[in-house]
Amino acid sequence: MHEALPLEIGVHDRGADTVATVVGELDFGTTPRMLEVVEPLAAEGRTLVLDLSELDFCDSSALSALVRLHKVAKAAGGALHLAAPRPQVESAITLTMLHQLLTIHPRVPDAPGGSTP
């Protein structure tokens, strides 16, 4: 019996922004589920921070989804930020030159206005 591909997404609305924590693997099978949860958040016109500190793997479909989320957020007047990518994920982003398009932070930024999560 094939086990379902591991992916969990936690969402924390901090008022001025939203942090979505992506846990597990993003690939062709799991990326649509991530978009289902996260794309409406990107369309809200606020800053969406994707916490990638628990993301173990991403493939080209995941990278494509990041570009899509960036475009959706920007079109709505918001922004997409990536935070704390693990070395494998950061390498994939850098090799595809997406680091020039996407804002990447070494850790999840503090909430705007100083509130804590």
Side-chain angles (χ1 to χ4, degrees):
M1 185 185 235
H2 183 59
E3 186 178 321
L5 294 171
L7 177 71
E8 293 179 31
I9 301 165
V11 176
H12 182 69
D13 186 333
R14 302 192 305 183
D17 69 3
T18 301
V19 176
T21 303
V22 184
V23 180
E25 299 178 359
L26 276 178
D27 57 27
F28 184 76
T30 60
T31 295
R33 191 165 132 228
M34 185 271 296
L35 284 173
E36 190 176 289
V37 173
V38 177
E39 191 167 2
L41 301 173
E44 290 179 353
R46 300 185 295 160
T47 297
L48 171 62
V49 179
L50 288 185
D51 178 357
L52 305 180
S53 62
E54 298 298 321
L55 182 64
D56 296 320
F57 173 81
C58 72
D59 69 2
S60 61
S61 64
L63 297 174
S64 176
L66 294 177
V67 173
R68 177 174 168 174
L69 291 171
H70 168 76
K71 289 179 179 179
V72 168
K74 190 172 180 179
L80 174 68
H81 292 218
L82 307 181
R86 289 183 171 183
Q88 185 275 340
V89 173
E90 188 168 20
S91 177
I93 291 168
T94 302
L95 286 171
T96 55
M97 304 302 282
L98 289 178
H99 66 290
Q100 294 183 357
L101 173 70
L102 304 171
T103 302
I104 304 171
H105 302 278
R107 62 178 185 82
V108 174
D110 292 334
S115 63
T116 56

